[in-house]
Amino acid sequence: YLWVIAAVTAYFIKGLCGFANTLVLTSILSFGADNAKFAIDLLLGYPANLILTWNNRRRLDPKAWLLPFAALGLFAGMKCSRVLDEKWVRRLTSVLLVLSGVSLIAVNL
């Protein structure tokens, strides 16, 4: 029952404000589930994000249509995590996050 309570609560919050589902879901599930099982949020999150995107498509920035490539990156990352050493995956993720932050700062200057 904990999974149902966590999912309903998390996606109710997401429906209200458009984010925070992962924060709510993992907070509730941490009381009785193993952290490795929290990947269910990805399976629930993509349909919810598609619904929110479709409902707000008139106000959507055209650059945001590149979002489906995030799904491709997710599957590529899952494949790489099986092959690469954990240290290298962490380092690569850190470098990509820093580059992403720098690019966002550069675009908004």
Side-chain angles (χ1 to χ4, degrees):
Y1 295 110
L2 186 63
W3 288 89
V4 174
I5 292 169
V8 168
T9 305
Y11 286 95
F12 177 75
I13 299 295
K14 183 179 182 81
L16 290 176
C17 62
F19 67 98
N21 55 305
T22 302
L23 177 66
V24 174
L25 187 83
T26 56
S27 297
I28 294 172
L29 287 181
S30 67
F31 288 106
D34 186 18
N35 287 350
K37 297 179 181 176
F38 291 177
I40 191 72
D41 188 37
L42 294 172
L43 296 174
L44 296 172
Y46 277 119
N49 288 336
L50 289 173
I51 291 168
L52 284 171
T53 302
W54 182 258
N55 289 339
N56 295 309
R57 67 187 179 277
R58 303 250 188 263
R59 295 175 292 208
L60 191 63
D61 184 9
K63 288 184 266 184
W65 286 103
L66 297 174
L67 193 60
F69 291 110
L72 295 175
L74 172 71
F75 293 117
M78 287 177 8
K79 285 285 192 185
C80 287
S81 69
R82 292 181 186 153
V83 177
L84 297 175
D85 184 33
E86 182 181 341
K87 275 194 267 183
W88 291 105
V89 172
R90 286 184 182 179
R91 289 177 183 162
L92 179 63
T93 303
S94 300
V95 168
L96 291 175
L97 284 173
V98 168
L99 290 175
S100 177
V102 168
S103 69
L104 285 172
I105 290 171
V107 168
N108 291 320
L109 286 181

